[in-house]
Amino acid sequence: MTLYLHIGPPKTGTTYIQEMFVANLEVFRGPEFCYPVLGRDMTVHGRYPGHHGFSLAAEKYIGDEADPDLHSKWINILRNNKNVILSAEGMSGWSSLYIRKMQSIANDCNHGLVVVYFVREPNDLLYSQWKEEVKLGFGEELSEFLIKHLIDPKYSWRYNPIGDLLKFKFESPDFDYHIYLYDVLVRQGEDIFLAMARNSFGISDLSASGGGANESHTIEVIDSMLRFKEHLGEEHGALGGQVREAMYALQLKEMPDIYEIIERIYKENMPKRNILLSRDTYHHEMLEQEIASYDRLGKYLRTQVPENGIFPRDPLTLHYYDRRDVWANATVSNQLRRLADRLKPYLQSAAVAPEGWLAPLKESS
């Protein structure tokens, strides 16, 4: 019997994998394999596909001062199912206290513990994480973000794709680990969820398609979020993720084509800038050695290392727009300001949940 902790990390297809677990719930309802409802908080759009409630408030489920009802439900899930799967990228940031507590509870219920982890090329991962932070309301320009994390990659968790994994391994060396190589699977055209289901659970007859809870936006839309936050913040103060939430609300209520409009405004009037990042660096070489070496992480790999290596060798081009270019362009800046005015009613309206578009509601089951 096994407890599987799929801990991400962020931006390695975690939301897609969680959506596929939900799409295949007939297989994962238990008792052979259980992807529990517990810990998948409710939102204004329905229930999270991942166990973010569990990962971000672990003390309610497994801490010394855990909620008796939630703790009892969690114990019963372990006792009544042969294999249990939790999936939340937030678990990658767990402290040693929660790691050891989860291990203790699993062992008490006669479950071994397997950590499932995906490794992604660090430059691509860094770019993807910057875009995600913009969506969440952070206002750093790409150049600022890159400078901060590329000065010393060893100390940037975003630029070290195995940092969280090594933390888990250090805290609990007796865990088993299933490590997947995200870039290799993508290059081979293999679905990451199906690869995980086959190689970790021994299940090969599942379906995988769709998925869109964590929509991937173009660089034009990402830059517009930065500009809307900058412009609207002069009147409304710090907005956090409310800009994205208001854009979703405007799309649903009035402008279903808002994202297409934004893309057209930029592409017809603005030069796109590029940053070229090498992927054959010493940092990449050392990561590949750490991952592929059997004496280090290689024995845990569930993806075969191809002859041409784990990471792509060609340089990665990062696209972005310079804020000075945007505001200096009268056509673009005027149209963005007009769109910002359309967003204003949705920043504080009932169309957005009181604590945010994806604000967790009370766990009900």
Side-chain angles (χ1 to χ4, degrees):
M1 297 196 299
T2 304
L3 168 60
Y4 294 91
L5 299 181
H6 171 223
I7 67 172
K11 309 314 298 178
T12 58
T14 49
T15 301
Y16 168 73
I17 288 172
Q18 292 154 7
E19 289 178 329
M20 292 305 100
F21 276 123
V22 173
N24 290 275
L25 272 183
E26 69 277 5
V27 176
F28 296 104
R29 291 190 190 278
E32 187 68 23
F33 287 92
C34 177
Y35 189 76
V37 170
L38 187 71
R40 290 171 45 216
D41 283 346
M42 289 295 293
T43 77
V44 293
H45 290 303
R47 194 174 289 278
Y48 277 124
H51 297 96
H52 305 299
F54 201 122
S55 70
L56 299 176
E59 69 279 0
K60 295 181 180 179
Y61 299 86
I62 60 175
D64 293 334
E65 299 180 2
D67 179 283
D69 181 53
L70 293 177
H71 181 75
S72 176
K73 286 181 178 180
W74 173 234
I75 295 299
N76 287 336
I77 288 171
L78 288 172
R79 288 176 175 168
N80 295 330
N81 294 279
K82 184 176 179 181
N83 300 287
V84 177
I85 305 160
L86 294 183
S87 177
E89 49 270 46
M91 289 189 290
S92 65
W94 270 5
S95 68
S96 59
L97 172 67
Y98 293 138
I99 296 172
R100 294 188 185 119
K101 191 67 177 178
M102 182 64 91
Q103 180 184 28
S104 174
I105 292 174
N107 291 344
D108 288 345
C109 295
N110 298 315
H111 280 67
L113 205 151
V114 173
V115 174
V116 182
Y117 194 92
F118 282 74
V119 177
R120 185 176 178 182
E121 192 276 317
N123 291 335
D124 204 14
L125 183 65
L126 198 63
Y127 187 48
S128 184
Q129 287 169 338
W130 169 71
K131 291 191 286 186
E132 182 68 14
E133 291 203 3
V134 172
K135 290 193 289 183
L136 292 174
F138 295 92
E140 273 189 313
E141 302 293 328
L142 177 60
S143 57
E144 298 169 353
F145 186 85
L146 291 177
I147 288 171
K148 184 168 67 177
H149 293 287
L150 294 178
I151 288 175
D152 193 342
K154 184 173 67 173
Y155 293 105
S156 170
W157 68 266
R158 290 176 178 83
Y159 202 61
N160 183 359
I162 61 175
D164 290 324
L165 176 65
L166 294 177
K167 179 191 68 178
F168 263 74
K169 199 168 181 302
F170 176 79
E171 295 293 346
S172 297
D174 50 336
F175 282 8
D176 193 8
Y177 296 87
H178 291 181
I179 301 175
Y180 291 86
L181 304 177
Y182 180 94
D183 301 279
V184 173
L185 293 172
V186 170
R187 289 205 306 271
Q188 295 174 348
E190 190 166 356
D191 184 272
I192 58 175
F193 170 72
L194 296 182
M196 177 179 170
R198 183 178 63 252
N199 296 313
S200 288
F201 314 136
I203 303 174
S204 57
D205 56 350
L206 298 178
S207 63
S209 62
N214 192 14
E215 183 180 358
S216 177
H217 294 298
T218 64
I219 188 57
E220 289 77 23
V221 173
I222 293 295
D223 190 81
S224 75
M225 291 181 184
L226 281 170
R227 304 314 143 217
F228 289 146
K229 183 176 185 297
E230 187 177 357
H231 177 65
L232 293 168
E234 295 175 2
E235 178 180 342
H236 294 269
L239 291 172
Q242 286 172 280
V243 168
R244 177 180 67 158
E245 296 161 3
M247 291 175 73
Y248 287 167
L250 181 62
Q251 180 191 33
L252 290 171
K253 299 287 184 178
E254 297 182 45
M255 295 179 64
D257 59 346
I258 181 176
Y259 298 121
E260 290 81 0
I261 291 172
I262 289 170
E263 290 171 17
R264 188 165 59 250
I265 291 171
Y266 274 82
K267 290 178 179 179
E268 291 179 357
N269 301 284
M270 288 288 303
K272 187 185 294 182
R273 300 199 176 209
N274 301 316
I275 296 175
L276 205 63
L277 293 181
S278 176
R279 296 194 283 193
D280 58 355
T281 67
Y282 176 75
H283 180 55
H284 288 76
E285 180 183 343
M286 295 305 295
L287 283 172
E288 291 217 9
Q289 290 180 11
E290 181 75 26
I291 294 165
S293 172
Y294 184 85
D295 293 335
R296 296 176 184 175
L297 297 177
K299 58 187 173 184
Y300 303 112
L301 286 178
R302 294 284 162 147
T303 308
Q304 186 173 353
V305 178
E307 290 185 4
N308 59 347
I310 296 173
F311 303 126
R313 293 291 189 267
D314 56 312
L316 177 68
T317 302
L318 308 185
H319 303 293
Y320 74 103
Y321 289 91
D322 190 285
R323 68 176 298 275
R324 293 165 296 185
D325 294 340
V326 175
W327 293 125
N329 187 303
T331 301
V332 174
S333 60
N334 288 337
Q335 292 189 67
L336 288 180
R337 288 187 177 99
R338 284 196 289 269
L339 284 174
D341 289 336
R342 299 284 297 274
L343 291 174
K344 287 180 182 179
Y346 294 100
L347 291 175
Q348 302 295 337
S349 76
V352 179
E355 296 179 27
W357 189 250
L358 294 177
L361 306 178
K362 184 178 180 181
E363 175 67 64
S364 59
S365 61

